[in-house]
Amino acid sequence: MKEHSLPEGSVYVNAINMKLARIEPGEFIMGSEKGDMDEQPCHRVTIARPFYMGITQVTNAQYERFDPRHRQLRGKLGFSEADDEAVVFVSWHEAAAYCNWLSERDGRPYRLPTEAEWEYACRAGTTTEYSMGKNFARSHYKHQRHSWYPDPVKTKKEFEVVGLSVGEFEPNAWGLYDMHGNVEEWVQDWYGPYEAGDAADPVGRVDGDFKVARGGSHSTEVQYLRSAERMAALPEDKHWMIGFRVVLAQMPKSEALPLSPQVLYQQNVPQAVPTDIEEGPDQKTAYFTEPKVFVKVEPSEKGPFFKHNHFPYIAQTPNGDLLAAWFTTNEESGREMKLVASRLRHGSEEWDEGSVFWDAPDRNMTGGALWNDGSGKLFHICGMGAAGTWGTLVQAVRTSVDNGATWSKAKLMTLEHGVRTMPIPSLFRMSTGALVLSCDAETGSTGGSNVWISDDDGDSWYDAGGLIAGIHAPVVELKDGSLLAYGRGDEIHGRMPRSLSADKGRTWTYSESEFDPIGLGQRAVLRRLREGPLFFASFADDMELHDRTGAVRRVNGLFAAVSYDDGRTWPYKRLVSTDRDGGIWDGGAWTGEFKMDRSHAEPKGYLAMTQGRNGLIHLLSSRIHYSFNLQWILSLSPGMAEESR
């Protein structure tokens, strides 16, 4: 659109009767030293030219003049039914398209505000946490609390839904309503870290994964409504917490900041496949190496790493590295959650220090999987919340063709936030070519799991519809094409449930397994090994094991098992232990300290597993990396006489 002079006057009413307030140029300090890490460093920003900003968020009535089909989404989950309520269930792309439509309709340049313009207008000359002062007025609250909605287990609709009418409360000093709360607001910028130094009309990063959303929302704790608070989401995402408002002005001509710098796990990543990638210990000889700690982070109250590190997943990259990822957080339903990654580089004996893997700011990111498809591509799938809980997830998928040094733009497997969407590190390709991903079907300790299927190599996905017994259920394909799963909870006759599906997860049959049930802080793993048999790892509760002399011992903790008849029997079981008094270990997360000896192994942990091209099995718990080969399991534990030597 051609350059246009701005209208005159303090308020402009445009062609669709939308009111916009004139915001004069000025300076302010952007960010907060008291806030989250991404609000720092504080820096002086100059807004060099005036602009007009919508005095309210765009309403249903205003948006539907552009897209009448959106009326079908009014009242979805109970939110935003009336003409004067803020429009929600609008992606960043749709918000930007609305601005383009409005530009054509009004003959003037409309767009989303830059992040700097938004904070400048929100503060309206103030330097306090909120434009009304140090505290947010309780009279403005719209369910300002931690919310699990629409999770059917933990919430009820009648206690969660609030009205989203715009302009109900007094405006800030510059005449803008609802700059704190009601709904989050998409802005123009890609999300990225701030840089030190003064800036004039900044426009954010040149590219990124997430678009910034500002202002906080209903059903959100009040500290996330501060003037400096930064949230962000994938630009195609849409849900009941995000809307937008418009500005009238040409886009600043400032140069965007470069891409955020690469972090440790992305640095110095060789792209060649090592000639010795298939070399390793003799597969005919039992091999078990001393366990290693792979979670190496220094927790801090403000991050980027926190005290609770949990839910790992792992893959071997095409260049022979091991790449592991997990979440770090203070609370599992906390908005501070982000993903961390570490590499065990090919030929190295120690894992790298952890570095940030992915961070959708102030969104829950529970659940995930890493998978090497065997043709040079890595898949990363993780949960992406609308808010701070794992009851509002969708699955985000991204891929890498350079051993995890860089990643594609993420795509969402579905736009419907809710349950049946929390990924488990059980992702594989069936013999038919279909991809299978296991997910938790509910947020509680029971309720089952389900599988998502892709018949086009990950371009699109669908929920198969059935229900596996038990949550956190790993899945494997059997030789006849059926699926086998073992879950946590939903016990059958006091044993871990075993689920079978002959129709790609649409229906399942259930029976008791031979394994002990597992509970809080525990997750099993199930995979087919390169050598052909099935591999299973879980946790024993006073389970009987035979050692290699035929003697029976009772064991507790982490064990590995192998089946040569597709899971009908599991004759080979071995405690995953050093088979000696290994002293005291720290399993982190929900595990804490434990002893490792001939009868005791790690008592808890969320397990993940991959097998290297050299045959070594790499088993992760919540903090510890175990490495051994198939022959080590088959050889069983040594007898008492052997151990005493």
Short mmCIF file of all heavy atoms in Angstrom, two decimals, residues 245-297:
data_model
loop_
_atom_site.label_atom_id
_atom_site.label_comp_id
_atom_site.label_asym_id
_atom_site.label_seq_id
_atom_site.Cartn_x
_atom_site.Cartn_y
_atom_site.Cartn_z
N ARG A 245 -5.56 -6.88 18.42
CA ARG A 245 -6.04 -5.55 18.08
C ARG A 245 -5.15 -5.00 16.97
O ARG A 245 -4.06 -5.52 16.73
CB ARG A 245 -6.08 -4.63 19.31
CG ARG A 245 -4.77 -4.07 19.78
CD ARG A 245 -5.00 -3.10 20.94
NE ARG A 245 -5.41 -3.78 22.15
CZ ARG A 245 -6.27 -3.26 23.03
NH1 ARG A 245 -6.80 -2.06 22.84
NH2 ARG A 245 -6.61 -3.94 24.12
N VAL A 246 -5.61 -3.96 16.31
CA VAL A 246 -4.90 -3.45 15.14
C VAL A 246 -4.26 -2.11 15.44
O VAL A 246 -4.65 -1.40 16.38
CB VAL A 246 -5.86 -3.31 13.94
CG1 VAL A 246 -6.52 -4.64 13.61
CG2 VAL A 246 -6.91 -2.23 14.18
N VAL A 247 -3.28 -1.77 14.62
CA VAL A 247 -2.75 -0.40 14.58
C VAL A 247 -2.88 0.12 13.16
O VAL A 247 -2.94 -0.64 12.19
CB VAL A 247 -1.28 -0.32 15.05
CG1 VAL A 247 -1.13 -0.77 16.48
CG2 VAL A 247 -0.36 -1.09 14.13
N LEU A 248 -2.93 1.43 13.08
CA LEU A 248 -2.98 2.13 11.80
C LEU A 248 -1.69 2.93 11.67
O LEU A 248 -1.47 3.90 12.39
CB LEU A 248 -4.20 3.06 11.77
CG LEU A 248 -4.27 4.13 10.67
CD1 LEU A 248 -4.13 3.52 9.28
CD2 LEU A 248 -5.57 4.91 10.78
N ALA A 249 -0.80 2.46 10.80
CA ALA A 249 0.48 3.13 10.55
C ALA A 249 1.27 2.28 9.57
O ALA A 249 1.07 1.07 9.48
CB ALA A 249 1.29 3.31 11.84
N GLN A 250 2.16 2.92 8.85
CA GLN A 250 3.09 2.16 8.04
C GLN A 250 4.02 1.35 8.95
O GLN A 250 4.30 1.74 10.08
CB GLN A 250 3.93 3.10 7.16
CG GLN A 250 3.14 3.86 6.11
CD GLN A 250 2.69 2.96 4.96
OE1 GLN A 250 3.15 1.83 4.82
NE2 GLN A 250 1.79 3.48 4.13
N MET A 251 4.49 0.23 8.44
CA MET A 251 5.44 -0.58 9.21
C MET A 251 6.76 0.17 9.33
O MET A 251 7.24 0.75 8.35
CB MET A 251 5.67 -1.91 8.49
CG MET A 251 6.50 -2.91 9.27
SD MET A 251 5.64 -3.51 10.74
CE MET A 251 6.97 -4.47 11.49
N PRO A 252 7.36 0.23 10.52
CA PRO A 252 8.67 0.87 10.65
C PRO A 252 9.68 0.25 9.69
O PRO A 252 9.62 -0.94 9.38
CB PRO A 252 9.06 0.60 12.11
CG PRO A 252 7.77 0.38 12.81
CD PRO A 252 6.87 -0.29 11.81
N LYS A 253 10.61 1.06 9.23
CA LYS A 253 11.61 0.60 8.27
C LYS A 253 12.87 0.08 8.95
O LYS A 253 13.89 -0.14 8.30
CB LYS A 253 11.96 1.73 7.30
CG LYS A 253 10.76 2.23 6.49
CD LYS A 253 11.17 3.26 5.46
CE LYS A 253 9.95 3.82 4.72
NZ LYS A 253 9.19 2.77 4.02
N SER A 254 12.81 -0.12 10.25
CA SER A 254 13.97 -0.61 11.01
C SER A 254 14.39 -1.99 10.52
O SER A 254 13.56 -2.80 10.07
CB SER A 254 13.64 -0.68 12.49
OG SER A 254 13.05 0.51 12.94
N GLU A 255 15.67 -2.27 10.64
CA GLU A 255 16.19 -3.58 10.25
C GLU A 255 15.94 -4.58 11.37
O GLU A 255 16.20 -4.30 12.55
CB GLU A 255 17.68 -3.49 9.96
CG GLU A 255 18.28 -4.78 9.42
CD GLU A 255 19.74 -4.63 9.03
OE1 GLU A 255 20.22 -3.48 9.01
OE2 GLU A 255 20.38 -5.65 8.76
N ALA A 256 15.43 -5.74 11.02
CA ALA A 256 15.17 -6.77 12.02
C ALA A 256 16.47 -7.33 12.57
O ALA A 256 17.51 -7.36 11.88
CB ALA A 256 14.33 -7.89 11.41
N LEU A 257 16.43 -7.79 13.80
CA LEU A 257 17.58 -8.44 14.40
C LEU A 257 17.83 -9.78 13.72
O LEU A 257 16.90 -10.42 13.21
CB LEU A 257 17.35 -8.65 15.89
CG LEU A 257 17.24 -7.39 16.76
CD1 LEU A 257 16.82 -7.77 18.18
CD2 LEU A 257 18.56 -6.65 16.78
N PRO A 258 19.07 -10.26 13.71
CA PRO A 258 19.35 -11.57 13.10
C PRO A 258 18.72 -12.69 13.90
O PRO A 258 18.20 -12.50 15.00
CB PRO A 258 20.88 -11.64 13.13
CG PRO A 258 21.28 -10.74 14.25
CD PRO A 258 20.27 -9.62 14.26
N LEU A 259 18.77 -13.89 13.34
CA LEU A 259 18.28 -15.07 14.05
C LEU A 259 18.96 -15.20 15.40
O LEU A 259 20.12 -14.80 15.57
CB LEU A 259 18.53 -16.33 13.23
CG LEU A 259 17.74 -16.50 11.92
CD1 LEU A 259 18.24 -17.73 11.18
CD2 LEU A 259 16.26 -16.62 12.21
N SER A 260 18.25 -15.78 16.35
CA SER A 260 18.85 -16.02 17.66
C SER A 260 20.07 -16.92 17.50
O SER A 260 20.07 -17.85 16.67
CB SER A 260 17.84 -16.68 18.59
OG SER A 260 16.70 -15.87 18.76
N PRO A 261 21.14 -16.68 18.26
CA PRO A 261 22.36 -17.48 18.10
C PRO A 261 22.13 -18.94 18.46
O PRO A 261 21.29 -19.28 19.30
CB PRO A 261 23.34 -16.81 19.07
CG PRO A 261 22.48 -16.07 20.05
CD PRO A 261 21.27 -15.65 19.30
N GLN A 262 22.89 -19.81 17.81
CA GLN A 262 22.79 -21.24 18.10
C GLN A 262 23.35 -21.53 19.49
O GLN A 262 24.29 -20.88 19.96
CB GLN A 262 23.53 -22.05 17.05
CG GLN A 262 22.86 -22.05 15.68
CD GLN A 262 23.49 -23.05 14.73
OE1 GLN A 262 24.68 -23.31 14.78
NE2 GLN A 262 22.67 -23.64 13.87
N VAL A 263 22.77 -22.54 20.14
CA VAL A 263 23.20 -22.94 21.47
C VAL A 263 24.03 -24.22 21.37
O VAL A 263 24.24 -24.77 20.28
CB VAL A 263 21.99 -23.13 22.41
CG1 VAL A 263 21.27 -21.80 22.61
CG2 VAL A 263 21.03 -24.18 21.86
N LEU A 264 24.51 -24.71 22.50
CA LEU A 264 25.54 -25.75 22.52
C LEU A 264 25.16 -26.99 21.72
O LEU A 264 25.97 -27.51 20.95
CB LEU A 264 25.86 -26.13 23.96
CG LEU A 264 26.94 -27.19 24.16
CD1 LEU A 264 28.26 -26.76 23.52
CD2 LEU A 264 27.14 -27.49 25.64
N TYR A 265 23.94 -27.50 21.88
CA TYR A 265 23.60 -28.75 21.20
C TYR A 265 23.60 -28.59 19.67
O TYR A 265 23.69 -29.58 18.93
CB TYR A 265 22.24 -29.29 21.68
CG TYR A 265 21.05 -28.78 20.91
CD1 TYR A 265 20.61 -29.42 19.75
CD2 TYR A 265 20.37 -27.63 21.31
CE1 TYR A 265 19.53 -28.95 19.03
CE2 TYR A 265 19.30 -27.15 20.59
CZ TYR A 265 18.88 -27.82 19.46
OH TYR A 265 17.81 -27.34 18.73
N GLN A 266 23.51 -27.32 19.18
CA GLN A 266 23.50 -27.04 17.74
C GLN A 266 24.89 -26.76 17.18
O GLN A 266 25.05 -26.69 15.96
CB GLN A 266 22.63 -25.82 17.46
CG GLN A 266 21.17 -25.97 17.87
CD GLN A 266 20.41 -24.68 17.67
OE1 GLN A 266 20.62 -23.70 18.38
NE2 GLN A 266 19.51 -24.67 16.70
N GLN A 267 25.87 -26.61 18.04
CA GLN A 267 27.18 -26.15 17.61
C GLN A 267 28.11 -27.31 17.29
O GLN A 267 28.07 -28.36 17.93
CB GLN A 267 27.81 -25.28 18.71
CG GLN A 267 27.03 -24.01 19.00
CD GLN A 267 27.54 -23.28 20.24
OE1 GLN A 267 28.53 -23.68 20.85
NE2 GLN A 267 26.84 -22.21 20.63
N ASN A 268 28.96 -27.09 16.27
CA ASN A 268 30.01 -28.06 15.91
C ASN A 268 29.45 -29.46 15.71
O ASN A 268 29.95 -30.44 16.26
CB ASN A 268 31.10 -28.08 16.99
CG ASN A 268 31.69 -26.71 17.24
OD1 ASN A 268 32.01 -25.98 16.29
ND2 ASN A 268 31.83 -26.33 18.50
N VAL A 269 28.40 -29.54 14.91
CA VAL A 269 27.74 -30.82 14.64
C VAL A 269 28.24 -31.35 13.29
O VAL A 269 27.89 -30.82 12.24
CB VAL A 269 26.21 -30.66 14.61
CG1 VAL A 269 25.55 -32.00 14.30
CG2 VAL A 269 25.71 -30.12 15.94
N PRO A 270 29.08 -32.39 13.27
CA PRO A 270 29.56 -32.94 12.00
C PRO A 270 28.40 -33.50 11.18
O PRO A 270 27.44 -34.04 11.72
CB PRO A 270 30.52 -34.06 12.44
CG PRO A 270 30.85 -33.77 13.86
CD PRO A 270 29.64 -33.09 14.43
N GLN A 271 28.51 -33.37 9.86
CA GLN A 271 27.45 -33.85 8.99
C GLN A 271 27.81 -35.17 8.30
O GLN A 271 26.94 -35.83 7.74
CB GLN A 271 27.11 -32.79 7.95
CG GLN A 271 26.53 -31.52 8.55
CD GLN A 271 25.31 -31.79 9.42
OE1 GLN A 271 24.37 -32.47 9.00
NE2 GLN A 271 25.32 -31.30 10.65
N ALA A 272 29.06 -35.55 8.35
CA ALA A 272 29.46 -36.81 7.73
C ALA A 272 29.09 -37.99 8.63
O ALA A 272 29.08 -37.87 9.86
CB ALA A 272 30.96 -36.82 7.47
N VAL A 273 28.78 -39.11 8.01
CA VAL A 273 28.51 -40.33 8.76
C VAL A 273 29.85 -41.00 9.06
O VAL A 273 30.62 -41.30 8.15
CB VAL A 273 27.62 -41.30 7.95
CG1 VAL A 273 27.40 -42.60 8.72
CG2 VAL A 273 26.28 -40.63 7.62
N PRO A 274 30.17 -41.22 10.34
CA PRO A 274 31.47 -41.81 10.68
C PRO A 274 31.63 -43.20 10.07
O PRO A 274 30.68 -43.98 9.99
CB PRO A 274 31.44 -41.88 12.21
CG PRO A 274 30.36 -40.93 12.63
CD PRO A 274 29.36 -40.93 11.52
N THR A 275 32.83 -43.51 9.66
CA THR A 275 33.08 -44.83 9.08
C THR A 275 32.96 -45.94 10.12
O THR A 275 32.73 -47.10 9.77
CB THR A 275 34.49 -44.88 8.46
OG1 THR A 275 35.46 -44.53 9.46
CG2 THR A 275 34.60 -43.89 7.30
N ASP A 276 33.09 -45.58 11.41
CA ASP A 276 33.03 -46.60 12.46
C ASP A 276 31.69 -46.60 13.19
O ASP A 276 31.60 -47.12 14.31
CB ASP A 276 34.16 -46.38 13.47
CG ASP A 276 34.05 -45.03 14.19
OD1 ASP A 276 33.23 -44.19 13.76
OD2 ASP A 276 34.78 -44.83 15.19
N ILE A 277 30.64 -46.06 12.57
CA ILE A 277 29.37 -45.90 13.27
C ILE A 277 28.76 -47.25 13.67
O ILE A 277 28.01 -47.34 14.64
CB ILE A 277 28.37 -45.08 12.42
CG1 ILE A 277 27.17 -44.64 13.29
CG2 ILE A 277 27.92 -45.86 11.19
CD1 ILE A 277 26.27 -43.64 12.62
N GLU A 278 29.09 -48.31 12.94
CA GLU A 278 28.53 -49.62 13.27
C GLU A 278 29.49 -50.46 14.10
O GLU A 278 29.18 -51.61 14.42
CB GLU A 278 28.14 -50.35 11.99
CG GLU A 278 27.00 -49.65 11.24
CD GLU A 278 26.53 -50.42 10.02
OE1 GLU A 278 27.14 -51.47 9.72
OE2 GLU A 278 25.56 -49.98 9.38
N GLU A 279 30.63 -49.89 14.45
CA GLU A 279 31.59 -50.62 15.27
C GLU A 279 31.27 -50.42 16.75
O GLU A 279 30.82 -49.36 17.17
CB GLU A 279 33.01 -50.14 14.98
CG GLU A 279 33.46 -50.42 13.56
CD GLU A 279 34.86 -49.89 13.29
OE1 GLU A 279 35.54 -49.49 14.27
OE2 GLU A 279 35.28 -49.88 12.11
N GLY A 280 31.51 -51.45 17.53
CA GLY A 280 31.24 -51.37 18.96
C GLY A 280 31.65 -52.66 19.64
O GLY A 280 32.37 -53.49 19.05
N PRO A 281 31.21 -52.85 20.86
CA PRO A 281 31.55 -54.08 21.57
C PRO A 281 31.07 -55.32 20.80
O PRO A 281 30.07 -55.27 20.08
CB PRO A 281 30.81 -53.93 22.90
CG PRO A 281 30.60 -52.46 23.06
CD PRO A 281 30.41 -51.93 21.68
N ASP A 282 31.77 -56.42 20.97
CA ASP A 282 31.39 -57.69 20.36
C ASP A 282 29.97 -58.04 20.78
O ASP A 282 29.68 -58.18 21.97
CB ASP A 282 32.37 -58.77 20.81
CG ASP A 282 32.09 -60.12 20.16
OD1 ASP A 282 31.11 -60.23 19.39
OD2 ASP A 282 32.83 -61.07 20.45
N GLN A 283 29.07 -58.18 19.80
CA GLN A 283 27.68 -58.43 20.12
C GLN A 283 27.45 -59.82 20.69
O GLN A 283 26.37 -60.11 21.22
CB GLN A 283 26.81 -58.21 18.88
CG GLN A 283 26.83 -56.76 18.40
CD GLN A 283 25.85 -56.51 17.27
OE1 GLN A 283 24.89 -57.24 17.09
NE2 GLN A 283 26.10 -55.46 16.50
N LYS A 284 28.44 -60.70 20.60
CA LYS A 284 28.30 -62.04 21.17
C LYS A 284 28.78 -62.09 22.61
O LYS A 284 28.66 -63.13 23.26
CB LYS A 284 29.08 -63.04 20.32
CG LYS A 284 28.56 -63.18 18.90
CD LYS A 284 29.38 -64.19 18.10
CE LYS A 284 28.86 -64.31 16.67
NZ LYS A 284 29.67 -65.27 15.87
N THR A 285 29.31 -60.97 23.09
CA THR A 285 29.82 -60.89 24.46
C THR A 285 29.00 -59.88 25.24
O THR A 285 28.71 -58.79 24.75
CB THR A 285 31.30 -60.46 24.46
OG1 THR A 285 32.06 -61.39 23.69
CG2 THR A 285 31.85 -60.40 25.88
N ALA A 286 28.61 -60.24 26.45
CA ALA A 286 27.81 -59.34 27.28
C ALA A 286 28.57 -58.05 27.54
O ALA A 286 29.76 -58.07 27.88
CB ALA A 286 27.45 -60.02 28.59
N TYR A 287 27.87 -56.93 27.38
CA TYR A 287 28.50 -55.62 27.58
C TYR A 287 27.55 -54.73 28.37
O TYR A 287 26.37 -54.59 28.04
CB TYR A 287 28.81 -54.97 26.23
CG TYR A 287 29.33 -53.55 26.34
CD1 TYR A 287 30.69 -53.31 26.54
CD2 TYR A 287 28.46 -52.46 26.27
CE1 TYR A 287 31.17 -52.01 26.65
CE2 TYR A 287 28.94 -51.16 26.38
CZ TYR A 287 30.29 -50.94 26.57
OH TYR A 287 30.76 -49.66 26.69
N PHE A 288 28.07 -54.11 29.42
CA PHE A 288 27.34 -53.13 30.23
C PHE A 288 28.36 -52.13 30.71
O PHE A 288 29.38 -52.50 31.30
CB PHE A 288 26.66 -53.81 31.42
CG PHE A 288 25.88 -52.87 32.31
CD1 PHE A 288 24.52 -52.70 32.14
CD2 PHE A 288 26.51 -52.17 33.34
CE1 PHE A 288 23.79 -51.85 32.97
CE2 PHE A 288 25.79 -51.31 34.17
CZ PHE A 288 24.43 -51.15 33.98
N THR A 289 28.12 -50.85 30.44
CA THR A 289 29.07 -49.83 30.85
C THR A 289 28.54 -49.05 32.04
O THR A 289 27.32 -49.05 32.30
CB THR A 289 29.39 -48.87 29.69
OG1 THR A 289 30.50 -48.05 30.04
CG2 THR A 289 28.20 -47.99 29.36
N GLU A 290 29.42 -48.41 32.76
CA GLU A 290 29.03 -47.65 33.94
C GLU A 290 27.99 -46.59 33.56
O GLU A 290 28.17 -45.84 32.59
CB GLU A 290 30.25 -46.96 34.54
CG GLU A 290 30.03 -46.34 35.91
CD GLU A 290 29.93 -47.36 37.03
OE1 GLU A 290 30.18 -48.57 36.79
OE2 GLU A 290 29.59 -46.95 38.15
N PRO A 291 26.87 -46.52 34.29
CA PRO A 291 25.85 -45.51 33.97
C PRO A 291 26.40 -44.09 34.02
O PRO A 291 27.34 -43.79 34.77
CB PRO A 291 24.79 -45.74 35.05
CG PRO A 291 24.99 -47.16 35.50
CD PRO A 291 26.46 -47.40 35.40
N LYS A 292 25.80 -43.22 33.21
CA LYS A 292 26.22 -41.82 33.12
C LYS A 292 25.04 -40.90 33.43
O LYS A 292 23.88 -41.25 33.18
CB LYS A 292 26.71 -41.48 31.71
CG LYS A 292 27.89 -42.27 31.19
CD LYS A 292 28.22 -41.82 29.77
CE LYS A 292 29.47 -42.50 29.24
NZ LYS A 292 29.23 -43.94 28.99
N VAL A 293 25.33 -39.72 33.91
CA VAL A 293 24.32 -38.68 34.07
C VAL A 293 24.24 -37.89 32.77
O VAL A 293 25.27 -37.42 32.26
CB VAL A 293 24.67 -37.75 35.25
CG1 VAL A 293 23.74 -36.54 35.28
CG2 VAL A 293 24.60 -38.51 36.57
N PHE A 294 23.03 -37.77 32.20
CA PHE A 294 22.88 -37.00 30.97
C PHE A 294 22.22 -35.65 31.21
O PHE A 294 22.29 -34.76 30.35
CB PHE A 294 22.11 -37.79 29.91
CG PHE A 294 20.64 -37.94 30.19
CD1 PHE A 294 19.71 -37.05 29.66
CD2 PHE A 294 20.17 -38.99 30.97
CE1 PHE A 294 18.36 -37.18 29.92
CE2 PHE A 294 18.81 -39.13 31.23
CZ PHE A 294 17.90 -38.23 30.70
N VAL A 295 21.55 -35.47 32.35
CA VAL A 295 20.93 -34.19 32.67
C VAL A 295 21.96 -33.35 33.42
O VAL A 295 22.21 -33.56 34.60
CB VAL A 295 19.65 -34.37 33.52
CG1 VAL A 295 19.10 -33.01 33.96
CG2 VAL A 295 18.60 -35.14 32.74
N LYS A 296 22.56 -32.41 32.71
CA LYS A 296 23.60 -31.57 33.28
C LYS A 296 23.18 -30.11 33.12
O LYS A 296 23.47 -29.47 32.11
CB LYS A 296 24.94 -31.81 32.59
CG LYS A 296 25.49 -33.22 32.78
CD LYS A 296 26.83 -33.37 32.09
CE LYS A 296 27.44 -34.73 32.33
NZ LYS A 296 28.77 -34.86 31.67
N VAL A 297 22.47 -29.61 34.11
CA VAL A 297 22.02 -28.22 34.09
C VAL A 297 22.18 -27.64 35.48
O VAL A 297 22.20 -28.37 36.48
CB VAL A 297 20.54 -28.09 33.64
CG1 VAL A 297 20.37 -28.53 32.20
CG2 VAL A 297 19.61 -28.88 34.56
#
